[in-house]
Amino acid sequence: MHNFSYQRPASLAEAAKLLSGEAKLLAGGMTLLPTLKQRLAQPSALVDLGSVAELKGIKAEGGGLTIGAMTTHAEVAHSAEVKRTIPALAVLAEGIGDPQVRNRGTIGGSISNNDPAADYPAGLLGLGATVITNKRKIAADDFFKGMFETALGDGEIVTAVSFPKPEKAGYSKFPNPASRYAMVGVMVAKTAGGVRVAVTGAGPSVFRVAEMEKALAGNFSPDAVKSIKIASGNLNSDMHGSAEYRANLVSVMAARAVASAS
């Protein structure tokens, strides 16, 4: 039996001080707790962020939204502010897992874990969001580095995510029927800086599709992307679907995302 201490700090500053050695942050616990049960992680301490009030909540700021790291998927899904400002983000959050996961899982935990099939990485990258930590601000384009890998350094804690308001955006995913994880999920957004298309579930980490972005910049319609083929060489292939199957799904989901954009 592996022993570890359990800490429940009341502030971000206190949490940062406790985060040393092999200590692990506990947000919603949707990934960490199963990992501990399977003895795949042996932290020296669990630092539970559940009592850090400053990490929770949704605020309208700068024309967009700032969402605290400990805000649950259910809170994002049901927020009138999110539905009004970025409806596609509420749709994304509503489609994560099941009610238990949505009521426990958090946006900060999801992006820090960066599961290849998680929904939020596509939301952040597609909307051109900024990740705010206790040390700096990181553009979504620079945050997701690879499978389960992010730009976060030692002792760095995600505190919030800032989303600019897009002109229009849509999210569509093909969920694994058992887990509700994305076999392929696509966020399409028309933003002040141009069109962005971000894909999760298909590859080792979330990625953008420049060819689709260029096509949609000229014609923001499903027809502009549905015939664009994605190379399957670097895509995931597993018992749920081949790389070629996922490549085809990217085109289908991108077209649906554009069709749903509002």
Side-chain angles (χ1 to χ4, degrees):
M1 183 74 176
H2 180 72
N3 293 321
F4 54 81
S5 66
Y6 172 78
Q7 312 283 347
R8 195 172 169 90
S11 71
L12 182 61
E14 191 185 341
K17 281 181 191 165
L18 293 167
L19 201 55
S20 61
E22 293 299 309
K24 293 271 189 196
L25 290 173
L26 177 63
M30 295 298 93
T31 300
L32 182 57
L33 294 183
T35 304
L36 291 175
K37 285 177 182 175
Q38 292 167 13
R39 305 287 193 268
L40 295 174
Q42 296 193 335
S44 56
L46 277 189
V47 181
D48 188 344
L49 298 174
S51 293
V52 184
E54 63 201 280
L55 297 181
K56 298 174 184 175
I58 300 168
K59 291 182 294 207
E61 282 186 340
L65 295 171
T66 298
I67 301 177
M70 286 294 288
T71 306
T72 65
H73 311 324
E75 288 166 336
V76 174
H78 300 144
S79 162
E81 198 70 65
V82 175
K83 288 179 180 177
R84 181 167 56 247
T85 311
I86 314 177
L89 198 57
V91 169
L92 179 152
E94 184 61 51
I96 296 174
D98 53 33
Q100 288 89 336
V101 168
R102 290 194 292 275
N103 281 287
R104 290 293 303 172
T106 65
I107 185 171
S110 175
I111 64 170
S112 299
N113 185 49
N114 193 22
D115 188 295
D119 295 273
Y120 265 124
L124 269 68
L125 192 58
L127 291 164
T130 301
V131 179
I132 303 164
T133 78
N134 57 329
K135 298 183 177 181
R136 57 183 169 147
K137 294 182 178 180
I138 311 167
D141 282 303
D142 302 321
F143 184 80
F144 302 104
K145 295 295 189 184
M147 188 179 286
F148 297 108
E149 186 188 352
T150 70
L152 292 172
D154 291 341
E156 194 165 14
I157 303 171
V158 173
T159 59
V161 181
S162 173
F163 292 91
K165 177 179 168 63
E167 290 174 32
K168 54 172 58 179
Y171 182 69
S172 184
K173 81 165 171 177
F174 190 88
N176 177 304
S179 67
R180 309 297 295 169
Y181 269 108
M183 292 270 294
V184 167
V186 182
M187 175 66 84
V188 174
K190 196 173 186 181
T191 75
V195 177
R196 297 174 69 95
V197 177
V199 180
T200 190
S205 184
V206 64
F207 62 91
R208 287 173 63 183
V209 186
E211 192 181 353
M212 286 186 173
E213 293 176 348
K214 188 177 176 184
L216 288 168
N219 173 23
F220 196 84
S221 77
D223 288 340
V225 291
K226 65 184 179 187
S227 61
I228 293 177
K229 301 291 181 220
I230 302 295
S232 61
N234 297 320
L235 301 188
N236 298 333
S237 187
D238 55 29
M239 63 184 284
H240 305 298
S242 66
E244 293 76 17
Y245 181 70
R246 283 184 164 88
N248 181 63
L249 275 178
V250 172
S251 304
V252 175
M253 291 303 114
R256 289 185 187 176
V258 175
S260 73
S262 60

